[in-house]
Amino acid sequence: GNWQNYTAEETGLRSNNIYSICVDQNNRKWFGAWGNHSPSNWLSGISIFDDNNNDWGSVTTANGIGNNTISYMTVDANNQTWVCSYGGEFGNITILSEAVDSVITNFDLFKPYYNGENGEEEDYDPNYVFFSKEKIFLGGWLSGLRLWNDTTYPENGGDEWSYASFLDLDSGRIFAIDKRNKYNYEEIWIASGEGLFMFDESDWFKYGTHIKKKVWQPGGWHDEATSEYWYFEGQ
């Protein structure tokens, strides 16, 4: 029932502008700061708090992450932290070992995001990482969803990269991804700037305000004449 406040001025927190949080299997709290510029001399990068020992640590570019603007962090089943560094020449995704300051690997999102009059590459917008039992889903701030069709570490130029089967998720921000177990398979739910989607390990579905859902089939989105797919009057 008690609140505890942590500030950059009074604790080891690097910044009061915290954009991302995760907790690892050792119960350490990871706080990702957004941006480098502050009138209060805050620092960017990651603050790590072990409240069992009242100990603060940090991870920055000096430890091997892409840059110090942190858009997202998550911990995998092996207690390794995946860090999305957003923007700039060195934005990428870094996987850190349980030892925190040891980099296992880093990689870029699949295929560049082009932005600019001369078509220059802006492939520096990783914003989300999500693990299913068969794939890794990776989202961009502006550039949509990518799939790594394996459970190994993604690598630049690897054969396991792909997009979804349709264009709707090739752009727009990936806001959130979650899953539920249904019978013997997983449903992966994706909230994006282009709509709400679900993947059930075999088919893709799209949800909307005028139609309950559509299923992707070669050639386009299709619906069926059932109450599962269409809203009925007054619903």
Side-chain angles (χ1 to χ4, degrees):
N2 298 318
W3 283 93
Q4 176 66 50
N5 298 330
Y6 300 93
T7 66
E9 292 77 16
E10 298 178 356
T11 70
L13 190 67
R14 295 177 62 84
S15 170
N16 290 341
N17 189 21
I18 301 300
Y19 190 82
S20 52
I21 297 175
C22 71
V23 180
D24 66 23
Q25 295 170 20
N26 298 318
N27 204 34
R28 296 173 297 196
K29 286 73 174 171
W30 296 58
F31 305 100
W34 182 269
N36 291 308
H37 305 292
S38 166
S40 303
N41 296 318
W42 298 336
L43 302 173
S44 52
I46 302 169
S47 306
I48 304 174
F49 184 41
D50 179 357
D51 56 352
N52 293 324
N53 299 301
N54 196 31
D55 180 56
W56 287 90
S58 64
V59 171
T60 68
T61 54
N63 304 107
I65 63 174
N67 68 41
N68 290 330
T69 298
I70 311 303
S71 57
Y72 187 76
M73 298 181 295
T74 190
V75 178
D76 65 19
N78 297 314
N79 205 24
Q80 298 160 348
T81 306
W82 295 50
V83 177
C84 295
S85 295
Y86 176 82
E89 183 179 358
F90 299 104
N92 62 17
I93 299 173
T94 304
I95 304 175
L96 297 172
S97 72
E98 185 175 359
V100 174
D101 58 355
S102 176
V103 173
I104 296 173
T105 187
N106 50 47
F107 59 93
D108 297 323
L109 288 180
F110 174 59
K111 289 191 176 181
Y113 165 64
Y114 290 97
N115 182 32
E117 295 180 359
N118 299 317
E120 60 267 24
E121 295 182 8
E122 294 286 347
D123 187 21
Y124 314 119
D125 71 334
N127 186 54
Y128 214 93
V129 178
F130 185 83
F131 310 106
S132 75
K133 65 182 181 182
E134 295 180 346
K135 303 175 186 289
I136 303 174
F137 294 72
L138 302 110
W141 189 273
L142 297 171
S143 59
L145 182 74
R146 282 84 158 170
L147 305 174
W148 178 257
N149 296 293
D150 203 287
T151 56
T152 58
Y153 299 135
E155 56 185 60
N156 293 333
D159 294 334
E160 301 299 328
W161 284 112
S162 73
Y163 285 104
S165 305
F166 44 87
L167 295 177
D168 304 68
L169 282 174
D170 286 2
S171 63
R173 185 175 302 179
I174 302 301
F175 289 102
I177 304 176
D178 211 337
K179 66 181 177 182
R180 69 170 180 170
N181 295 316
K182 189 172 183 180
Y183 305 112
N184 295 319
Y185 63 90
E186 288 182 336
E187 288 183 348
I188 310 299
W189 291 80
I190 301 164
S192 83
E194 300 299 323
L196 175 64
F197 300 86
M198 187 267 284
F199 178 66
D200 69 357
E201 297 185 5
S202 59
D203 293 318
W204 285 92
F205 298 87
K206 180 178 182 180
Y207 297 80
T209 56
H210 301 294
I211 184 173
K212 281 187 181 178
K213 69 179 182 181
K214 297 180 180 181
V215 60
W216 175 262
Q217 298 174 359
W221 291 103
H222 297 270
D223 58 77
E224 299 178 8
T226 68
S227 59
E228 181 181 359
Y229 284 77
W230 284 93
Y231 293 113
F232 55 84
E233 183 178 359
Q235 185 176 9

